[in-house]
Amino acid sequence: MTEKISTEAEIDLSYIDENYKYIKDRIAQAAVKSGRTPADVRFMAVTKTVPPFIINRAIACGADLIGENKVQELLGKLDDLRTDGLEMHLIGHLQSNKVRKIITTVKMIQSVDSLSLAQEISKRAAENGLVMDVLTEVNIGCEWSKTGFEYDELIEQSLAVDSLPGVNVRGVMAIPPVCETEDEARGYFEKTRRLFEDAKQLFAKPDFDTLSMGMSSDYAAAVLEGSTLVRVGSALFGSRRY
Ligand SMILES: *Cc1c(COP(=O)(O)O)cnc(C)c1O
């Protein structure tokens, strides 16, 4: 007997449709509960380790924003992705020597965690005649293992980043420490939102409008605390196999 190998067309992906709808609804409910409208919160599908044919299913459901962590992985998927009308962001730690490769592919780099990285982005953007939207990442839990600016330095550093000609700071991104309870997570989200509000006052420009926080386990809590963009991977695609 020969073993049957299932093809992409035979794999049942209806769970993606269900997950997509469920997450969308929960985001909408949390947005309304926080005094906003569903349109005020963007739903990013985080696609690391997910193959293009599965990502395309999420796109067919309505996903219009994806986030990848690695430059190489994103570039490797591009040919097989339905990229029409699709916005792509880089959300993982970015090495300066890879900036050149993705500068014309992504709409935003959410993971700016040093001034030197921002300088490289600015330089490459200018070379291509564009201004790159970025978020500055805050190390909200003061974890030594995580990248990002220190809480107390974030605003000053963000202003320095924004003064570079090839970058436009659009807001703040945070990945809180792994939390035992939703209350604990909410504490970090609230702290991040206060930082974002303080920064917004100083920046005083209408497009400083993005607070990126909340992942699979806590996106509803993040929206309740004011997130404008949630980054959801495993709740949409299932657990990752590396
Ligand atoms: C992987 C990842 C996510 C999504 O994580 P899930 O828990 O699977 O939703 C969000 N943000 C960043 C920066 C990530 O690396």
Side-chain angles (χ1 to χ4, degrees):
M1 231 178 93
T2 53
E3 203 178 332
K4 188 170 176 292
I5 298 166
S6 57
T7 64
E8 287 178 10
E10 286 173 324
I11 298 176
D12 180 8
L13 292 176
S14 55
Y15 67 93
I16 304 272
D17 311 3
E18 284 156 28
N19 290 346
Y20 186 84
K21 192 176 175 311
Y22 175 77
I23 297 163
K24 221 32 209 176
D25 285 350
R26 273 191 81 197
I27 293 171
Q29 283 165 21
V32 169
K33 230 172 153 179
S34 72
R36 295 177 292 164
T37 69
D40 292 330
V41 182
R42 296 192 76 187
F43 171 13
M44 164 186 280
V46 175
T47 52
K48 58 175 176 255
T49 77
V50 181
F53 79 98
I54 298 182
I55 301 172
N56 284 338
R57 180 72 171 231
I59 292 170
C61 291
D64 58 0
L65 172 63
I66 66 165
E68 278 280 351
N69 291 62
K70 294 187 177 141
V71 169
Q72 225 58 43
E73 186 176 342
L74 174 58
L75 295 178
K77 289 175 185 175
L78 276 187
D79 281 349
D80 299 313
L81 278 183
R82 290 195 213 154
T83 52
D84 259 9
L86 182 69
E87 188 173 322
M88 293 174 276
H89 293 183
L90 197 85
I91 60 170
H93 176 66
L94 176 60
Q95 287 168 293
S96 288
N97 61 10
K98 304 228 169 100
V99 170
R100 191 176 46 82
K101 296 195 173 115
I102 42 107
I103 198 78
T104 57
T105 303
V106 295
K107 171 80 178 22
M108 185 186 280
I109 298 171
Q110 295 202 0
S111 41
V112 171
D113 54 9
S114 72
L115 192 55
S116 62
L117 172 61
Q119 282 162 342
E120 176 67 13
I121 294 170
S122 178
K123 179 178 153 195
R124 299 302 177 184
E127 279 174 7
N128 286 277
L130 54 91
V131 175
M132 178 60 69
D133 281 344
V134 303
L135 302 180
T136 47
E137 182 179 344
V138 59
N139 185 354
I140 194 67
C142 307
E143 295 170 286
W144 62 269
S145 59
K146 284 217 181 108
T147 54
F149 293 107
E150 299 296 318
Y151 188 90
D152 293 335
E153 290 176 354
L154 181 103
I155 292 181
E156 194 188 326
Q157 294 291 318
S158 300
L159 288 166
V161 169
D162 198 54
S163 72
L164 299 166
V167 293
N168 181 32
V169 177
R170 296 285 307 270
V172 177
M173 190 266 256
I175 312 173
V178 176
C179 293
E180 296 291 322
T181 65
E182 196 155 296
D183 272 355
E184 199 186 337
R186 280 190 75 157
Y188 286 112
F189 293 143
E190 200 210 330
K191 197 176 162 194
T192 310
R193 199 233 310 138
R194 274 190 270 121
L195 181 64
F196 171 69
E197 295 293 347
D198 288 349
K200 201 174 174 163
Q201 297 267 316
L202 279 170
F203 272 87
K205 57 178 185 179
D207 69 349
F208 191 91
D209 58 5
T210 306
L211 176 55
S212 171
M213 61 184 190
M215 318 203 308
S216 288
S217 59
D218 52 23
Y219 62 89
V223 173
L224 289 176
E225 291 296 342
S227 172
T228 71
L229 189 159
V230 293
R231 309 178 308 268
V232 181
S234 46
L236 176 60
F237 295 113
S239 54
R240 285 181 286 274
R241 282 187 215 107
Y242 288 94

